[in-house]
Amino acid sequence: MTEPHLLPMPKGDRRLILSAGALLILLALLPLVAPAQAIDKLTQLGIYVLLAVMWNLLAGYAGLVSVGQQAFVGLGGYAMVRLVEAGLGPFPALVLAPFLVALVAWPLAWFVLRLRLGEFAIAMWVIAEVFRGLVMFDPLVQGETGTSVLALNAIDADTRRLAIYLLSLVAASAALAGSFVLLRGRLGAEAQAIRDDEEAAASVGVSTFRVKRLIFVAAAAGCALAGTLWLASAITFQPRTGFGIQWTVFMLFMVLTGGLGTFLGPVVGAVLLMGLQEAFGDFGAWYLFGVGALSVAFALALPGGLVGLWSARRGREPLSMRRRLSAGEG
Amino acid sequence: MSESLLNALVQGVLLGGYYAIVAAGLSLMFGVVRFINLAHGDLLVLGAMLALIAVEALGWPVWLAVATVIPLMAALGWALQRLMFERALAAGPLLPILVTLGLGATLQNGMFGLFGSNTRSLGAHIGDLSWSGWSLPGGLRVGTLPVLTFTLAIAVLGLMHLMLRRTPLGRAIRATAQDPGAAELSGVDARRVHRAAAAIAFALAALGGVLLAMRAQVTPFAGPPQLIFAFEAVVIGGIGSLWGTLIGGIVLGLAQTLGGTISAQVSLLAGHLVLLAVLGWRVLRDEAAARGGWIALMRVKGPSHD
């Protein structure tokens, strides 16, 4: 009779990881052949994946539904504007800004993570509004007008496009790889225990606060990075867009359609959002209406999202973060 | 006290009446059905838009539009609770937040698609109500509409108070809010109570929307700030307290009008900061209590949950 033990990673998962690695190499080489427009779209997709992975970490794995992640998207953009103004090159500023935002998120976590579920959701939204209001006092931002990172225009357009594309690719893959390592480790088990039953998790010795804070700060930095990448391609920073609720609506859509609390869900959702945007983006408000309605429909009819549907068919979730235990044989 | 400051104080208190009406609906849903309806502000705007269509496109008198829209929105509340929120609630505490956030985005963009981005107001249709008022000694000016709104708020809260205390529905609501399981055991149909609460909440949102459209311009995207204001009034006044929403509304209104004497930007920030201060105070107080008082909190480092 053998002791129960953790099962190794299923073969399908190994194959999936290998093909993801191959895809990554292909994507890195793509600018050699692909037209500029396609590269721009893929840059955007990378930012979407990054955002969705962050929101899924919060809501799907730590049970923290934030309606205010735009606080960090906007703050990231603003920090980059300020760093460039202080004389830093745009690309060093792009990378440094998320760390500054993490420094803001760390003390903030002490306060917001002690709020109850719904209070946390809206308090984050209010905090985003406060950040927006404060940033608008900065004479550099000029209220609603916003400001442009003119230093970006000094860089040759093709070089800039390539650099932002590669950065977005690195950011999205790092977010996926990082959360994979994080969730496969002790923290992932702890986070999922908290999400499923906080009191029970605490009673078996999980430090619920420490786990949540780590995820909260990581997600803040990730959203800030999405904000700086976005700013690098859009050049203009406007408080209304940077701190807009639409960021959270998109994150909600991607995570819900892809599969809340599944590892691949955010990627599937990001691809779906990108596809819908390409097909229907010209319809403006009606496109956004559809995005909202689809989120609601998925939440009600298919709460596991597309990955959940796939898992139900196949009998197991691809790249599941749940540990599987063998029943002791004998 | 300077004139403008005194005026700001009076306007702030009166504005609190409006916030109390919007917040009472949100608070009822939160207290009874136990979730925060993130689309509350967008439903408020929907109520305003429906009234505007009835008045502007159909040529109805304002009173008829209001008298139609409020029961219509109540029916919508009943239906959405039955068809949408019940399902979401059954799937855990996260889902109602996600569903109502999506619903809010759907409502905003749907209204934008249907009605465009033009700002609309009922102000032109309510005669001299939109500008008339009383001049009081000391340079004080009080508008009829704000006074009417405030009186309406007292009446609404008073009626809700009586309903909760004196009627069978009120008893069922209080029982369900306290313990849904125990209420079911004593013969209360919790799902029907939830639907009734949603109907009342939606009706109050519609009333708030009509009042907003009378004193200001409304756009399809005006909902989220109204939700935030309502939430702020609920939290400041104390969650689950009916008359607390009036106190919370007045505190929020005061913060906004006093901030407004500096600039419009400061006005909004002041309200948000009061909310964060109240939440922060509560967190600190709970934290201190969990560690045996303020002195202990200052001595011990790190959160108590560790």
Side-chain angles (χ1 to χ4, degrees), chain B residues 40-106:
Chain B
H40 194 69
D42 304 305
L43 291 161
L44 174 151
V45 173
L46 179 66
M49 286 289 174
L50 291 176
L52 277 160
I53 292 171
V55 172
E56 287 183 345
L58 305 178
W60 290 11
V62 172
W63 66 265
L64 182 62
V66 174
T68 314
V69 164
I70 290 177
L72 195 69
M73 287 293 291
L76 181 68
W78 182 282
L80 277 186
Q81 175 66 33
R82 200 197 145 115
L83 301 172
M84 192 183 269
F85 301 154
E86 264 171 27
R87 268 189 95 125
L89 278 160
L94 290 187
L95 221 53
I97 303 181
L98 306 175
V99 165
T100 52
L101 180 62
L103 176 66
T106 313

Side-chain angles (χ1 to χ4, degrees), chain A residues 39-51:
Chain A
I39 295 303
D40 283 342
K41 299 287 179 209
L42 284 172
T43 303
Q44 211 181 347
L45 181 62
I47 297 173
Y48 282 167
V49 169
L50 174 60
L51 284 170

Side-chain angles (χ1 to χ4, degrees), chain B residues 2-26:
Chain B
S2 79
E3 260 176 41
S4 68
L5 196 61
L6 189 65
N7 253 316
L9 284 176
V10 174
Q11 306 306 337
V13 172
L14 293 179
L15 184 60
Y18 162 75
Y19 289 143
I21 292 176
V22 186
L26 191 71

